[in-house]
Amino acid sequence: MSAVPHQVSLADDVRWFTGSPLAAVFGRLALDQVAYREIAAAVDRTGRFAENFTDRGLRSVAFTALMGFADPVDAQAFREDLKRLHRDVRGTGTGEFADTRYSALTPEMWTWVAVSGLNAIHQAYVNLCGRTLTADEQEIVYQTLRTELGYLELPGSRGKLPETLTEMRAYYDRVATTHLADNEFLQFARRSFETLPLPALFVPRAARPALTPLWRAATKLAARPVTVCSSGAAHPRMQQLLHVHWTPRHQFEYTLYTTLLGTAWRYLPRRLTLEPLAYNRYRYERLRDLYRSILLDSFAAPATRAA
C-alpha cells in the first residue's frame, strides 16, 4: 500500500479524517435521512431544526466530536447517552406526518441513520483523500469507519452495520428504492442548507443584527461547494428527490472543489484540518508516542553488567 500524508497508515488517516471540518462539504448527503418518512416525522416533530437549523447542526457536530475524540471514559459516556436520549424520540408526527408513527430506536430507522452517516464520511474521504483509491483500499476505508462508528450498532442482527462495503451499498440501494420519498421536511431541509440562519448558540443577541448580513454573504458563498459536492456524490434516488440536474459546469466545479480540498487534507498541517477536540487528541497521541520512544524495554541490568 502506498504511503499517505503525515506518515500514517490508511486506517489512521481515515480515523483522523472523521474529525475534519473538510468532510462537511459532503454534509448535505445527510438529507437522505429525512427522505425516510418516519425519520422526517420524528425530526419535524421536535421543531429544533425549524427553530434554528444551524444550532441543531452544531449540536450534532459537537456530540459527534465528543463521542469520537474525548477522553475514552467521557467518549463512552457520550456514546451511551446517544441511545439513552433517543429513547424519548417516539410518537406520532404532526401536519403532513399526522398519520406516521415513529420510534428512533427501531432497528430500521436507527440503522438507516447510522448507514447514512457512515456513507457520507466514506464518500467524503474517498473524494478528498488526495489520491485515487483502489477497491481494496476503499474497503479498508469502510472497515475503519465501521469500527470507529461501531457504537452506533443496536443489539440483535437487525441493528448491525453492513459487514462490507458491497453489502452497505446493496443495503443503501434497497432502502433508497423502497423507502425514500419526497416530503415537505426534506424540501425545507434542502432550502435551509442554502440559507443557514445565524447561530444563536455562540452569538449574543445584541450582536446578531450587525453580523447577519456578513453571515448571509459568507454562508451563501460556502453553500455552493456543499451543494455541488453533495449533489455529485448523492444516490440517483436522492438526486431525483432534490431536483439535481447535473451539467458539465457542475462536473467542473465538483472536480475543482474536491481537488482543492483533497490537497488541503493531504498537505496542510493537522491543526488547520481538524476540529479542536480532534486536534487535541491528535497532539496527545503524538506526544505520547514521542515520550514512549525514549523508554527502556526493561529495567533489568544489561547483560554485560550482570556478568
Side-chain angles (χ1 to χ4, degrees), residues 137-151:
E137 288 174 327
Q138 290 192 41
E139 181 67 34
I140 291 173
V141 175
Y142 178 77
Q143 293 302 332
T144 303
L145 292 174
R146 183 169 173 262
T147 299
E148 290 296 313
L149 301 178
Y151 60 83

Side-chain angles (χ1 to χ4, degrees), residues 24-29 225-235 239 246 254:
V25 77
F26 287 86
R28 213 173 75 133
L29 288 175
V226 174
T227 299
V228 171
C229 290
S230 296
S231 296
H235 187 276
Q239 291 180 333
W246 201 251
Y254 184 90

Side-chain angles (χ1 to χ4, degrees), residues 25-31 119-120 123-124 126-127 172 223-240 242-258:
V25 77
F26 287 86
R28 213 173 75 133
L29 288 175
L31 290 180
N119 173 67
Q123 292 270 23
V126 167
N127 282 281
Y172 195 109
R224 182 65 182 178
V226 174
T227 299
V228 171
C229 290
S230 296
S231 296
H235 187 276
R237 177 56 174 159
M238 286 305 300
Q239 291 180 333
Q240 179 187 21
L242 297 175
H243 313 299
V244 173
H245 303 290
W246 201 251
T247 67
R249 177 186 173 182
H250 290 125
Q251 185 60 50
F252 171 78
E253 289 186 67
Y254 184 90
T255 302
L256 175 64
Y257 299 143
T258 54

Side-chain angles (χ1 to χ4, degrees), residues 184-229:
E184 291 180 5
F185 190 87
L186 171 63
Q187 297 307 324
F188 159 74
R190 175 185 63 82
R191 294 189 300 270
S192 296
F193 262 98
E194 299 171 3
T195 56
L196 290 174
L198 188 73
L201 289 173
F202 303 115
V203 181
R205 185 179 298 274
R208 293 172 196 170
L211 292 177
T212 295
L214 180 62
W215 171 263
R216 287 176 179 170
T219 53
K220 184 176 181 179
L221 184 65
R224 182 65 182 178
V226 174
T227 299
V228 171
C229 290

